[in-house]
């Protein structure tokens, strides 16, 4: 427990320092995300559903006009939803899981590349209904950075493989919870990388103002 306490406190610390020396409004969602994600990643005996706590400030980042930020936020929302799969499956909510996963991504604009072109812009799903620029229909599924593209694609492929294994392959008798453990491992790996990215964004945006966006 002491190790978890120290790790959580160290996870908070950079956000505290940055927001203390650079008290800017646009950094608040990143600081809240860093603190809540640190608590989720490093606290002692955290329940899977606790990921809903850091998702609250993370979802605030959907107000960004940066397509790369939108891509990262969409990705981590999908991964968070995926980590809830064992609980939802246990409660018989498979149909609800699939429906919400597909519908939320469509409404956010991740499937804009398959959205009919004849729809008016104000009816086109996306991150901002007030955005009427030509980039409105650009797909936000992947960011520009090749490293994050690779990470996101690999994590989505892994997510699909784990779903197939969970549906069609029985885990070894010696390891009956193998698929659940792999689910948790993929989730932790994704959350940790997002936590690092969030700190990177917070650090690079510290000297900027809202007028720079």
């Amino acid at each position: 427990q002491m190790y978890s306490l120290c790790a959580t406190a160290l996870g908070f610390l950079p956000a505290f320092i940055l927001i203390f020396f650079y008290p800017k409004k646009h950094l608040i969602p990143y600081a809240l995300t860093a603190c809540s994600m640190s608590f989720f990643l490093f606290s002692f005996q955290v329940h899977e559903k606790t990921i809903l706590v850091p998702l609250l400030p993370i979802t605030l980042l959907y107000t960004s006009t940066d397509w790369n930020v939108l891509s990262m936020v969409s990705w981590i929302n999908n991964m968070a939803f995926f980590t809830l799969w064992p609980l939802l499956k246990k409660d018989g909510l498979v149909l609800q899981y699939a429906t919400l996963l597909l519908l939320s991504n469509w409404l956010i604009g991740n499937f804009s590349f398959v959205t009919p072109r004849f729809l008016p812009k104000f009816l086109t799903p996306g991150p901002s209904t007030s955005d009427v620029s030509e980039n409105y229909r650009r797909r936000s599924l992947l960011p520009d950075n090749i490293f994050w593209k690779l990470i996101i694609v690999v994590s989505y492929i892994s997510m699909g493989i784990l779903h197939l294994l969970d549906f069609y392959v029985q885990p070894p008798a010696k390891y009956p919870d193998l698929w659940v453990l792999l689910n948790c491992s993929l989730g932790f790996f994704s959350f940790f990388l997002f936590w690092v990215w969030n700190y990177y964004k917070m650090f690079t945006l510290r000297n900027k103002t809202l007028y720079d966006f």
Side-chain angles (χ1 to χ4, degrees):
Q1 293 182 11
M2 181 57 66
Y3 290 136
S4 292
L5 177 62
C6 293
T8 304
L10 288 175
F12 289 165
L13 191 59
F16 288 165
I17 294 173
L18 282 170
I19 207 68
F20 180 80
F21 287 105
Y22 304 94
K24 298 179 180 180
K25 291 180 180 178
H26 66 275
L27 291 181
I28 292 177
Y30 292 97
L32 292 174
T33 297
C35 292
S36 56
M37 190 63 85
S38 297
F39 173 80
F40 176 74
L41 288 173
F42 306 122
S43 290
F44 187 72
Q45 290 185 341
V46 176
H47 194 275
E48 296 96 320
K49 288 184 287 188
T50 311
I51 188 57
L52 299 176
V53 175
L55 281 183
L56 290 174
I58 289 173
T59 304
L60 293 176
L61 296 176
Y62 272 126
T63 59
S64 174
T65 56
D66 185 347
W67 287 98
N68 295 298
V69 172
L70 297 175
S71 300
M72 294 297 294
V73 174
S74 296
W75 167 62
I76 208 61
N77 268 275
N78 288 332
M79 295 310 299
F81 198 21
F82 170 69
T83 60
L84 296 177
W85 164 250
L87 295 176
L88 297 174
K89 180 188 176 185
K90 183 179 179 180
D91 292 337
L93 299 175
V94 176
L95 178 61
Q96 292 85 340
Y97 169 84
T99 302
L100 285 176
L101 185 63
L102 294 174
L103 185 60
S104 62
N105 276 276
W106 182 74
L107 290 174
I108 289 166
N110 284 338
F111 299 148
S112 59
F113 58 96
V114 294
T115 299
R117 295 284 177 169
F118 58 79
L119 286 178
K121 289 183 178 180
F122 68 90
L123 289 179
T124 303
S128 174
T129 55
S130 62
D131 186 356
V132 293
S133 68
E134 288 301 319
N135 286 332
Y136 186 77
R137 297 176 186 274
R138 175 183 172 182
R139 90 181 189 191
S140 55
L141 187 62
L142 296 174
D144 294 330
N145 186 281
I146 187 64
F147 172 77
W148 289 111
K149 278 183 180 179
L150 181 62
I151 291 295
I152 292 175
V153 169
V154 170
S155 63
Y156 280 153
I157 292 174
S158 301
M159 186 170 70
I161 291 173
L162 282 176
H163 274 313
L164 291 174
L165 289 173
D166 197 19
F167 271 114
Y168 300 111
V169 180
Q170 287 293 327
K174 190 177 179 180
Y175 306 106
D177 297 319
L178 180 60
W179 306 150
V180 177
L181 290 174
L182 290 176
N183 180 298
C184 294
S185 299
L186 179 59
F188 179 84
F189 175 73
S190 302
F191 297 145
F192 180 80
L193 287 178
F194 183 85
W195 177 72
V196 172
W197 171 86
N198 180 78
Y199 264 126
Y200 167 77
K201 289 296 293 184
M202 193 175 178
F203 183 79
T204 56
L205 295 175
R206 71 191 188 285
N207 290 317
K208 294 188 177 182
T209 66
L210 289 174
Y211 298 103
D212 296 326
F213 293 93

